[in-house]
Every structure is written in structure tokens, then in C-alpha cells.
Amino acid sequence: MAKVHFIAIGGSVMHQLAIALRNKGYQVSGSDDEIYEPARTNLANAGILPPAIGWDPSRVTADMDAVILGMHARADNPELARAQELGLKIYSFPEYIYQESRGKTRVAIGGSHGKTTITSMVMHVLQQCRQQFDYLVGAKLEGFPQSVNVTDAPLIVCEADEYPASALEKRPKFHFLHPHIAVLSGIAWDHINVFPTFDIYLEQFAIFIRTMEPGGKLIYNQGDETLRTLVEREGGHLERIPYGVPEHTIINGITRVRFGNVSTDLLVFGEHNLLNIHAALLVCRALGIGDIDFLAAIASFKGAAKRLELVAKNADTAIYRDFAHAPSKVKATISAVRQQYPGRKLVAVLELHTYSSLNAGFMTEYAGALAPADTAAVFYSAHALEIKRMPDLSPDVIKKGFEREDLTVLTSRAALEAFLDQQDFDNANLLMMSSGDYEGLDFAGLKKYLSVKKPS
């Protein structure tokens, strides 16, 4: 029985891998200096919640087969020092995923946007088609109890993130997966605290392509000129498969997609999701699933958590929540709602929550991002700036960056709630975009705005 120890077991993905290995029959232990919900309850239910919070080098023993180091752990962690002293095998999360999947067919889905949704789509179709597979995805998906699963299945489907792997291993996570089948959805500069220039960011994708196994399949968004040029330059050793927006119609708010002679109505919408579906279809084709079976399965796909997630709706109002935060994601999401409901007013609120989005120098990347909205607001929390040790942001810098003078800038939850209360939601949609939570905003409570008409 393999014996594995997790340093920083409380991470959102780390604890899911720990549970997956426990379910596989491994002996699993771990530690962390803070463990929040739902990780605490999930680990407790699996019988692997650390007995005490904090680091304890005595938990690391010479008989361990592997030590897995989380992003949250620092390079001077005392348990890490003990593991190094004992000469144990130390892995970052993606390095360990590769070790567990060396004998499997590996699918990696990367890109600056859409990777969670494409991964979720492929997982949904494989499950509907009763295929056995392992997976790694960055969101909660209906029908899957965990976001990571590692078994003896012959196939693994991974969301391939470009963020650094660990405190020791600064290379991006997706460099360690070496897939047989890969998707790149597009390239738009992100994570500027790690990749300070676009050229450095772009090079990470070049390395990903160059290190794919010869003869592998690279499925890529041909509408992204930067990506297309990169694939043409770096992907000569691969089978390159382009994709674009498939044939479709929108009737009464319902999108119908067609591939050849096969078509189906969808529960998701937006040009970005049509691109995602085309990418997922090509992955499934490469795995031997026919288009008819794919479309029969994708018709019931509701989306990953917080990806154009419907909070509430009635006959003339819909409220959506979306994870969009980077400029390309914001543009795609807001355009999707605008196109799906062309006759309705659109109220859009974006929270700036990440290092990149709260950086004054990055603000011009958002130029025009909120243009499709009739009424637009940007929210940011002073607390978020404090935690990230960043200087205050001027509303004028935000308005100038977004190129929208009528933009409302909000800096507290109370101000946000007051702003929403002032809006007329008759024949209107509300779109809330954030990778945060607007200082604890009650999303369920937004239902009160259904058919709320502003007093005349």
C-alpha cells in the first residue's frame, strides 16, 4: 500500500486529490496551517483530517513513498525540510498526477479561458456514454462527487492550468502533464504577478506545445490569431486540429447547435460556449465517441459551477452569476448574455479580485469589456487590496481603463446592494461576474429583483 503525505492538504484541489488517493486504498496523511470549509468537513468524512493545525516535521517519516507539496506551502516549510533531509520523493500536484497517469491516455485542456468548461463538457459526455475515466477539474460539476478522481481507469481528463506548480517548482502546472490529446482554447495575458510580460506568458504555451508527445493531437481555437501563429510555429510534430464557432441558431432564448446532419438544443449559450462545445466534440471524437452520442449527451449539460450559472429567472428577467474576471472572459460572458437576450436591458457588475485585475497598470486590458451592458458597475474591496498588499485604486483609473465614463465604481457591499436596489429589472437581465464573493453578497437573495420595477 502506497504511503503519501500532503504538505498543505487543505487546498481546494489538494484535499480532493488526498481523498481520491484514500479512496484508491493508499495510506494518506497531511498537514496545514489553516483548513477552511468545505475542505475541513470533506477531509474529516474521509478520515484524513490532520489531528492538529500546524506543521509538525515528525509527521514526515522515512517509509513514505511520496510527499506532495501544495502551492500554499512556503519553501522554508519545516515538513518540507524534513522530507528533503530524508531524501523522500517530493512532487508538486501536477507532477504527482503525471506519475499516477503514466500508463493512461492523457487529455489536457488548457488556454486562458474556457478550460474548466471544456473539461466539464468532456467529463459529462464520457459519463453519459458510460466510459471509465479519471479526472481533474477546477469546479464543482453536477454528477461528480469530487473535482479530482484517481483510479485504475485507462484514461484521465485534466484541466491544464498555467499557474506555477508549487513553492519549489515554479514552472506552470500544465508543463508536467505531457498529454496525448490537448486543447488550447486561446491565449490572453493573465497572472501578471507571475508572468510580468505577455511574451513570458506566451512562452509557457510554446513550451506546452513543444513538450507534447510526437504524434499527439492538438485541438486549437483557429479564431485566436496569436494561438494559431504559435501552433503553426511550434506544433510541427503534432496532428493539429483547428476548431471554430459551429453552425447554430438562437430561437426564443434557446441555442441549437449543428454538426453535419446532427443537431440538438442546448442548456448553455454564448459564442464562447459554442467554441467550447466544438473543442469538446473533437476531444470526444479522438476518444472514439461518435457525434450522435456526443450531441445526445451534451444536450443535458448545465454548465460548471459559477459559469453562466442561472441564479433565478422568470418570464422577463434572468439573473446570472459567472466566474469571469480576466478581460477575455468578461468580454465573452457579457457578449453571450447580450446576444442571447437582444431585446432586454443588461445590467452588469464586475468584481476586481485578482492581482492582475486590481493592478492599475493592467486596467487598460479591460478597454471596452463592459461596453455591451446598458448599465455597468465595477466593484472592488479595500480588504482585497490589503490582503494582496497593493496600493489603493482610483475610480478615475478604472473608468479610464474600461473606457466608460458612465461606469459606477463601488467599494463596499452596502454600496453594491444600494446600486442594485436602484435598478429597474423590468425586461432586464442582471449579470454578476467575479472570482470572489463581493464581500459575502447573498446571491440567493438576488431573486428579489425578479420583475422588480423601479418606482416612476
Side-chain angles (χ1 to χ4, degrees):
M1 182 199 306
K3 191 172 183 180
V4 181
H5 181 72
F6 285 76
I7 301 176
I9 197 171
S12 59
V13 180
M14 282 283 280
H15 89 275
Q16 294 278 325
L17 176 60
I19 293 168
L21 296 182
R22 175 74 175 81
N23 292 341
K24 193 176 180 181
Y26 289 10
Q27 188 176 335
V28 176
S29 61
S31 55
D32 212 321
D33 59 356
E34 53 184 5
I35 301 178
Y36 300 113
E37 294 296 353
R40 174 176 286 274
T41 296
N42 291 342
L43 288 168
N45 290 342
I48 51 177
L49 182 69
I53 292 295
W55 313 115
D56 182 357
S58 68
R59 293 180 191 167
V60 180
T61 55
D63 61 342
M64 288 177 169
D65 297 286
V67 171
I68 304 176
L69 184 66
M71 264 299 292
H72 169 63
R74 295 176 181 271
D76 62 355
N77 185 284
E79 293 188 13
L80 173 59
R82 178 62 175 156
Q84 291 169 324
E85 182 185 313
L86 292 171
L88 297 176
K89 291 181 180 176
I90 301 167
Y91 300 95
S92 64
F93 180 95
E95 286 176 296
Y96 191 79
I97 289 290
Y98 176 72
Q99 292 302 315
E100 284 282 336
S101 61
R102 291 178 76 169
K104 304 176 189 291
T105 297
R106 294 181 298 280
V107 177
I109 295 165
S112 302
H113 40 251
K115 51 185 174 285
T116 300
T117 298
I118 298 169
T119 306
S120 300
M121 287 174 170
V122 172
M123 288 168 56
H124 178 81
V125 172
L126 290 172
Q127 186 185 64
Q128 294 293 307
C129 294
R130 303 188 184 282
Q131 301 288 312
Q132 295 298 310
F133 65 100
D134 290 344
Y135 56 85
L136 158 60
V137 65
K140 184 76 177 72
L141 182 62
E142 188 174 307
F144 294 87
Q146 296 170 215
S147 59
V148 180
N149 204 33
V150 178
T151 67
D152 294 322
L155 165 68
I156 186 166
V157 180
C158 297
E159 179 177 341
D161 187 4
E162 68 268 27
Y163 209 72
S166 76
L168 287 187
E169 183 49 82
K170 301 297 187 182
R171 286 179 292 168
K173 295 174 186 174
F174 69 168
H175 288 179
F176 297 95
L177 298 174
H178 306 295
H180 304 99
I181 301 166
V183 172
L184 285 177
S185 63
I187 299 175
W189 189 26
D190 199 0
H191 309 304
I192 67 167
N193 54 314
V194 179
F195 309 113
T197 69
F198 177 71
D199 286 343
I200 293 172
Y201 184 71
L202 183 65
E203 178 60 17
Q204 310 315 309
F205 291 89
I207 293 168
F208 175 76
I209 294 169
R210 287 198 293 264
T211 55
M212 278 185 67
E213 302 204 359
K217 292 179 166 63
L218 176 57
I219 298 161
Y220 67 98
N221 178 2
Q222 65 181 347
D224 186 314
E225 188 175 337
T226 302
L227 174 59
R228 187 174 68 247
T229 301
L230 188 69
V231 170
E232 288 170 357
R233 189 180 80 217
E234 304 287 354
H237 61 301
L238 304 171
E239 180 184 345
R240 291 168 285 191
I241 307 170
Y243 70 91
V245 178
E247 181 185 344
H248 65 283
T249 56
I250 303 171
I251 301 174
N252 297 326
I254 302 295
T255 298
R256 185 172 188 83
V257 68
R258 173 179 294 277
F259 291 98
N261 295 322
V262 192
S263 62
T264 191
D265 289 344
L266 301 170
L267 298 177
V268 296
F269 62 87
E271 186 172 287
H272 65 303
N273 271 327
L274 289 162
L275 281 165
N276 293 340
I277 283 172
H278 198 173
L281 174 128
L282 292 170
V283 170
C284 290
R285 268 188 198 165
L287 295 173
I289 292 173
D291 292 4
I292 292 174
D293 288 338
F294 176 87
L295 286 176
I298 206 68
S300 59
F301 178 74
K302 295 179 181 178
K306 301 179 186 175
R307 270 70 176 181
L308 270 178
E309 181 180 321
L310 182 64
V311 176
K313 69 182 288 188
N314 62 14
D316 64 1
T317 305
I319 300 170
Y320 289 97
R321 178 183 187 182
D322 195 90
F323 191 72
H325 51 91
S328 62
K329 298 174 183 177
V330 172
K331 290 173 184 175
T333 298
I334 200 167
S335 295
V337 178
R338 175 89 279 170
Q339 291 169 19
Q340 200 73 3
Y341 300 93
R344 288 188 190 176
K345 174 184 166 187
L346 176 56
V347 179
V349 182
L350 169 65
E351 179 178 14
L352 305 180
H353 186 70
T354 64
Y355 280 100
S356 298
S357 67
L358 288 166
N359 189 300
F362 189 73
M363 209 58 62
T364 54
E365 297 290 320
Y366 286 98
L370 295 177
D374 298 287
T375 302
V378 165
F379 172 90
Y380 72 91
S381 160
H383 182 58
L385 290 169
E386 287 170 17
I387 290 172
K388 295 175 173 64
R389 298 177 182 174
M390 298 178 72
D392 197 12
L393 260 178
S394 159
D396 290 337
V397 169
I398 295 173
K399 289 180 181 181
K400 188 175 180 180
F402 279 82
E403 295 184 349
R404 182 157 183 164
E405 276 303 313
D406 68 342
L407 187 67
T408 301
V409 179
L410 308 161
T411 58
S412 72
R413 192 178 76 189
L416 171 61
E417 290 169 347
F419 168 82
L420 293 173
D421 287 343
Q422 291 166 5
Q423 304 307 312
D424 180 359
F425 289 106
D426 184 27
N427 193 35
N429 288 342
L430 172 61
L431 173 60
M432 305 289 290
M433 295 173 285
S434 176
S435 59
D437 67 354
Y438 299 93
E439 288 187 335
L441 181 70
D442 175 20
F443 280 91
L446 297 176
K447 294 176 184 176
K448 69 182 182 180
Y449 296 122
L450 295 181
S451 293
V452 170
K453 297 174 178 61
K454 187 178 178 182
S456 56

